[in-house]
């Protein structure tokens, strides 16, 4: 971060200037009944209960430094019943069928308090949601030989929805809070996935070479995506925060390879490779419409064809990623054990946001560890991380510029006129530099 010389006046509104203290409690209980798993036909059934509740805490604003009591009033109850049947058909074929039915009930009955320009405000809120899910999985495996197993599976999964409670923030004007609620930004829908997978698990060369690989396809509905928003506070200044919206549909195609090779006494090499193609099939974004607006269509909204992100790649997903590892271990003449480990990880370039207009470059990180153990209790390790000092950013976010002048933009249709908004900018997470270190551990 470079700080310009001379006096500066930087205002960072929103979540970056707040502090909070949050507490919670939870309780869970599960009961399971299973048959003799050594039999050709075996199964199990079970029930599960989970309850979590947010407790009163406080929030505050760095400009005032005053902690204000808060009560999230959030409660989550999960109840589930599940079961599995596994059948060893013969010495080569095995199949299993498992399923889980769950109900998630979420409630919030709390309040948000804040001090704006010296005036205290409180906004109470109440909301609830219930999500039901049925997630089965079917697996079929074929033991080709003692050291080779082929398998395939079809499975469904889910992630229950939730709430964006910032829409109730006491800092916001009543009009701003009502506008967010009208857009449905208070609620996050449940995410659902269907996964198809084919794979192999195998050992070769007298069990010195292990090769595991799989192909998969994932159909992802209502994927959660983080975006930012600027709304007016009660004192007329903007308030910036992030919230989660649901992407319509995403499909993911991929290949994974895992290998280990003990190619010589005391030596072990490894290679892990992943290819991932994650593409959005259906999602409409007002930000995308803004980016593609022109003189002929100056104020498109989220329903305009320009808002479609179909065909775009998912952010922060490198298409290619692999890790190479090399390890050597041995014993000195005095009985001390030693080891050396080297690994290099490569990630290809990835997009910062769904608009696919900015990328984080490809990165290559290497690490080295040397260890010495005089006995089973003591271990001394020297390490170097990021050996070649790769400075590729680790992450980034298309956010809002806190220092650039505000600009006037046309209001989305059917509204007319203009609104004052903040310009966009990028926040980047810098890579950690090359680091050296020593570790001493003692086991007792």
């Amino acid at each position: 971060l470079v700080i310009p010389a001379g006096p500066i006046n930087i205002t960072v509104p929103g979540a970056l200037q707040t502090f909070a203290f949050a507490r919670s409690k939870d309780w869970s209980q599960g009961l399971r009944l299973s048959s003799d798993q050594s039999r050709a036909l075996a199964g199990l059934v079970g029930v599960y209960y989970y309850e979590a509740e947010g407790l009163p805490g406080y929030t505050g604003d760095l400009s005032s430094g005053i902690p204000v009591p808060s009560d999230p009033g959030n409660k989550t109850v999960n109840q589930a019943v599940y079961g599995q049947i596994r059948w060893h058909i013969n010495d080569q074929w095995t199949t299993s069928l498992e399923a889980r039915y769950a109900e998630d009930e979420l409630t919030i009955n709390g309040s948000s308090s804040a001090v704006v320009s010296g005036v205290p405000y409180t906004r109470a809120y109440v909301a609830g949601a219930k999500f039901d899910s049925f997630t089965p999985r079917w697996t079929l495996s074929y033991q080709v030989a003692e050291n080779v197993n082929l398998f395939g599976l079809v499975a469904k999964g889910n992630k229950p929805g939730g709430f964006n409670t910032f829409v109730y923030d006491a800092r916001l004007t009543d009009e701003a809070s009502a506008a967010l609620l009208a857009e449905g930004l208070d609620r996050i829908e449940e995410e659902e996935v269907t996964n198809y997978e084919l794979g192999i698990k195998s050992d070769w060369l007298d069990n010195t070479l292990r090769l595991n690989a799989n192909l998969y396809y994932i159909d992802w509905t209502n994927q959660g995506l983080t975006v930012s928003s600027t709304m007016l506070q009660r004192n007329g200044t903007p308030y910036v925060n992030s919230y989660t919206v649901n992407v319509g549909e995403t499909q993911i195609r991929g290949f994974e390879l895992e290998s280990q090779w003990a190619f010589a006494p005391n030596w072990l090499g490894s290679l892990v490779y992943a290819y991932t193609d994650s593409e959005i099939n259906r999602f409409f974004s007002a930000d995308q419409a803004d980016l593609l607006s022109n003189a002929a269509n100056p104020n498109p909204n989220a329903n305009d064809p320009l808002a479609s992100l179909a065909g775009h790649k998912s952010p922060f997903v490198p298409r290619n990623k692999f890790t190479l590892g090399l390890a050597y271990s041995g014993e000195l003449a005095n009985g001390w054990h030693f080891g050396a480990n080297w690994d290099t990880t490569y990630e290809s370039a990835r997009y910062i946001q769904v608009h696919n207009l900015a990328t984080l470059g490809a990165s290559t990180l290497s690490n080295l560890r040397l260890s010495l153990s005089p006995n089973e209790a003591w271990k001394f390790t020297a390490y170097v991380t990021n050996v070649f000092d790769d400075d590729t950013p680790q992450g980034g976010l298309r956010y809002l510029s806190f220092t650039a002048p505000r600009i006037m933009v046309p209001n989305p249709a059917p509204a007319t006129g203009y609104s004052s908004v903040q310009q966009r900018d990028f926040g980047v997470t810098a890579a950690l530099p090359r680091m050296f270190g020593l570790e001493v551990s003692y086991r007792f």
Side-chain angles (χ1 to χ4, degrees):
L1 176 64
V2 178
I3 304 297
I8 57 176
N9 182 19
I10 298 177
T11 301
V12 184
L16 297 181
Q17 70 165 19
T18 62
F19 61 89
F21 173 70
R23 300 185 301 134
S24 63
K25 65 177 181 179
D26 62 80
W27 182 85
S28 63
Q29 178 65 59
L31 297 173
R32 186 175 68 179
L33 176 65
S34 62
S35 66
D36 185 351
Q37 298 297 303
S38 65
R39 293 181 176 273
L41 183 63
L44 61 85
V45 293
V47 294
Y48 179 77
Y49 180 87
Y50 170 81
E51 182 177 306
E53 182 178 359
L55 301 176
Y58 61 79
T59 61
D61 190 298
L62 293 180
S63 61
S64 66
I66 302 174
V68 179
S70 64
D71 183 5
N74 61 300
K75 184 176 181 179
T76 300
V77 175
N78 172 269
Q79 302 176 80
V81 57
Y82 59 91
Q84 179 196 52
I85 297 177
R86 190 258 306 140
W87 181 22
H88 286 307
I89 304 171
N90 52 43
D91 291 339
Q92 291 182 299
W93 290 94
T94 300
T95 187
S96 66
L97 179 64
E98 48 199 301
R100 182 185 185 95
Y101 175 79
E103 292 183 354
D104 291 273
E105 188 170 353
L106 288 70
T107 56
I108 51 175
N109 185 4
S111 63
S112 171
S113 300
V115 177
V116 181
S117 300
V119 180
Y121 294 95
T122 298
R123 174 177 284 119
Y125 51 84
V126 177
K130 187 175 182 180
F131 302 95
D132 301 328
S133 62
F134 178 68
T135 50
R137 179 170 66 175
W138 175 66
T139 305
L140 180 66
S141 65
Y142 177 63
Q143 196 73 32
V144 180
E146 183 180 355
N147 60 328
V148 179
N149 180 268
L150 303 177
F151 68 91
L153 64 87
V154 180
K156 295 197 69 174
N158 78 305
K159 178 183 178 182
F163 303 100
N164 288 309
T165 55
F166 92 95
V167 303
Y168 305 108
D169 197 293
R171 297 173 183 83
L172 302 181
T173 65
D174 292 339
E175 293 77 13
S177 181
L180 293 170
L181 288 167
E183 293 182 45
L185 296 179
D186 58 317
R187 178 165 169 152
I188 305 168
E189 298 299 328
E190 183 176 37
E191 300 182 37
E192 298 180 346
V193 298
T194 302
N195 178 50
Y196 306 88
E197 186 173 344
L198 294 172
I200 180 174
K201 295 181 179 181
S202 61
D203 292 321
W204 307 88
L205 304 179
D206 293 328
N207 294 326
T208 61
L209 174 63
R210 171 161 294 176
L211 291 174
N212 297 333
N214 69 304
L215 288 165
Y216 64 88
Y217 173 83
I218 298 175
D219 185 9
W220 194 349
T221 304
N222 284 337
Q223 175 186 357
L225 180 72
T226 301
V227 298
S228 59
S229 174
T230 304
M231 303 301 291
L232 288 181
Q233 298 187 75
R234 297 179 186 274
N235 61 2
T237 61
Y239 179 75
V240 182
N241 210 333
S242 299
Y243 56 94
T244 302
V245 297
N246 295 103
V247 177
E249 293 179 2
T250 301
Q251 67 174 10
I252 306 172
R253 295 177 289 257
F255 168 75
E256 295 176 332
L257 170 68
E258 176 190 7
S259 62
Q260 292 180 321
W261 186 21
F263 57 90
N266 302 327
W267 286 94
L268 180 65
S270 62
L271 168 65
V272 178
Y273 171 73
Y275 170 82
T276 309
D277 180 19
S278 181
E279 183 175 303
I280 296 171
N281 284 349
R282 181 170 59 86
F283 180 40
F284 288 83
S285 165
D287 285 344
Q288 177 71 4
D290 288 341
L291 287 170
L292 300 183
S293 62
N294 50 47
N297 190 1
N299 61 338
N301 57 29
N303 297 317
D304 194 283
L306 292 180
S308 175
L309 287 161
H312 285 223
K313 301 301 181 182
S314 298
F316 303 112
V317 180
R319 180 162 292 193
N320 294 284
K321 181 177 180 178
F322 69 80
T323 299
L324 286 170
L326 185 63
Y328 181 80
S329 60
E331 183 177 330
L332 301 176
N334 60 2
W336 289 24
H337 293 272
F338 68 90
N341 294 273
W342 175 279
D343 65 81
T344 296
T345 299
Y346 168 83
E347 283 191 357
S348 60
R350 53 211 184 275
Y351 290 111
I352 295 180
Q353 263 290 10
V354 290
H355 313 294
N356 290 183
L357 296 175
T359 60
L360 297 170
S363 65
T364 305
L365 296 177
S366 297
N367 305 297
L368 173 66
R369 296 180 69 88
L370 303 172
S371 63
L372 187 64
S373 301
N375 50 51
E376 293 183 358
W378 287 97
K379 185 175 184 179
F380 306 91
T381 304
Y383 65 86
V384 185
T385 60
N386 195 4
V387 175
F388 301 110
D389 203 20
D390 188 289
D391 60 0
T392 306
Q394 293 182 330
L397 177 66
R398 183 173 180 260
Y399 208 59
L400 300 164
S401 174
F402 301 120
T403 57
R406 296 176 68 85
I407 58 175
M408 302 298 293
V409 299
N411 290 319
T416 59
Y418 291 79
S419 294
S420 172
V421 301
Q422 287 177 286
Q423 298 184 50
R424 292 285 183 167
D425 207 342
F426 288 92
V428 176
T429 303
L432 292 175
R434 180 193 300 118
M435 292 189 291
F436 306 83
L438 294 173
E439 293 178 353
V440 179
S441 63
Y442 177 74
R443 299 183 63 183
F444 57 92

